[in-house]
Amino acid sequence: MSKFWSPFVKDLVPYVPGEQPKLAKLVKLNTNENPYGPSPKAVAAMQAELGDNLRLYPDPNSDRLKQAVAAYYDVSTAQVFVGNGSDEVLAHAFHGLFQHGSALLFPDVTYSFYPVYCGLYGVPYEALALDEQFQIRVEDYARPNGGIIFPNPNAPTGCLLPLEAVERLLQGSPDSVVVVDEAYIDFGGETAIKLVDRYPNLLVTQTLSKSRSLAGLRVGIAVGHPDLIEALERVKNSFNSYPLDRMAIVGAAAAFEDEVYFRETCQKVIDSREQLVAELEGRGFEVLPSAANFVFARHPQKDAGELAAALREHGVIVRHFKQARIAQFLRITIGNPEQNQALLDALGQVL
Ligand SMILES: *Cc1c(COP(=O)(O)O)cnc(C)c1O
């Protein structure tokens, strides 16, 4: 705290990301990164961009990337927004679409960045309880609101809301913006982008950090009605004209174009997830049904905080949230087969 701060800064409660350890030999299953590298074509595109061109600003509109996304999802480029990670895209959505004075609705157990953005942009909110199985109750959202946001699959539970239920939720709030944060949709769900032509209040966000293995590049997208996209563009162009650098634009575009590699690596993660779930259940864990690249699990006899600390001693880091309702769960990212085995070996020692 300092007299030099703008007054509101003192009341900010910033987001706390998962640890990025400096020790390379830890098995890192705590931030939902992809165990497989990005598409070799994306890497080659970025290498080709690395040179004298860097003295020039990038395309402020990232048209090359918008065209790749529009082609992939069969929408128009006017329906596509891109930003520096989907966290930035979400920030612009909170800023440009949720400041209506009435409460934004989101689940009580969800991505912990949402209340942070509410604090930053002065958006009031109400957190609606998930049911006993940690599922979203669609009926609860059919009430007056200043907007709705939820991840699908939800984080950190991994639970999927079927597309038909997403559509019912949209029908319950035709007069407010509904943001579906699809950070993990490629690991087991059906995208709501299929609905954007029919619901002008729907904005779907996605990231290249998880299923396209480019967390280090920082690229996120949004797809929705051109009027929603225009709000995001106006906020973006009042904040930073060049959020995506030259590397990010060509690398992300190439990643969208390499569908074969994308499908292969997603399938490997999905197969590993099903194996890991069976192994964890065999060791007494209760595991929520996951459509993501992580699982959310609790052990009936072991305190989750102690378990996370003990796993770390054995060289494996997972995520534990000291939060009501989920304090006895661990969120475990799906690694490659060697990493998953290291987790199981460590559990064998700890349990
Ligand atoms: C990882 C994640 C994001 C952020 O993705 P970036 O593009 O890396 O900023 C957004 N929403 C949810 C639910 C996430 O898990």
Side-chain angles (χ1 to χ4, degrees), residues 61-62 65-66 69 73 80-90 92 181-183 204-210 212 214-223 229 232-233 236 243-245 248-249 252-253 256:
N61 293 318
S62 302
L65 174 55
K66 284 184 182 177
V69 174
Y73 280 118
V80 179
F81 179 80
V82 298
N84 186 252
S86 68
D87 285 340
E88 184 185 79
V89 176
L90 290 168
H92 292 339
D181 176 355
E182 294 189 336
V204 180
T205 64
Q206 293 186 351
T207 174
L208 281 79
S209 298
K210 278 79 182 229
R212 288 187 174 77
L214 286 166
L217 197 64
R218 312 304 304 130
V219 184
I221 68 167
V223 181
I229 300 303
L232 300 180
E233 295 288 356
K236 172 241 168 197
L244 267 67
D245 60 54
I249 293 169
F256 264 100

Side-chain angles (χ1 to χ4, degrees), residues 190-334:
E190 211 181 334
T191 179
I193 290 175
K194 292 178 180 155
L195 304 177
V196 295
D197 286 334
R198 283 191 285 129
Y199 295 90
N201 59 328
L202 168 63
L203 186 76
V204 180
T205 64
Q206 293 186 351
T207 174
L208 281 79
S209 298
K210 278 79 182 229
S211 57
R212 288 187 174 77
S213 198
L214 286 166
L217 197 64
R218 312 304 304 130
V219 184
I221 68 167
V223 181
H225 191 282
D227 289 348
L228 300 184
I229 300 303
E230 191 187 336
L232 300 180
E233 295 288 356
R234 290 175 68 107
V235 172
K236 172 241 168 197
N237 289 321
S238 306
F239 177 77
N240 178 3
S241 312
Y242 306 105
L244 267 67
D245 60 54
R246 286 177 167 272
M247 244 51 94
I249 293 169
V250 296
F256 264 100
E257 285 161 0
D258 192 354
E259 206 175 331
V260 172
Y261 181 86
F262 164 71
R263 299 250 168 251
E264 250 174 48
T265 48
C266 284
Q267 194 56 49
K268 284 204 271 191
V269 171
I270 292 166
D271 293 345
S272 292
R273 178 184 71 212
E274 298 318 308
Q275 281 173 21
L276 189 65
V277 168
E279 296 281 358
L280 289 171
E281 287 176 345
R283 286 160 175 78
F285 280 90
E286 178 201 341
V287 187
L288 297 188
S290 171
N293 69 337
F294 58 85
V295 293
F296 207 47
R298 69 179 153 196
H299 196 284
Q301 280 101 39
K302 291 279 174 186
D303 178 74
E306 289 171 19
L307 204 48
L311 284 173
R312 201 178 196 294
E313 299 276 295
H314 287 82
V316 179
I317 34 179
V318 299
R319 192 94 195 254
H320 174 243
F321 299 90
K322 289 195 193 89
Q323 189 191 318
R325 292 191 79 184
I326 56 168
Q328 287 311 322
F329 280 88
L330 295 177
R331 192 196 68 188
I332 306 169
T333 303
I334 307 303

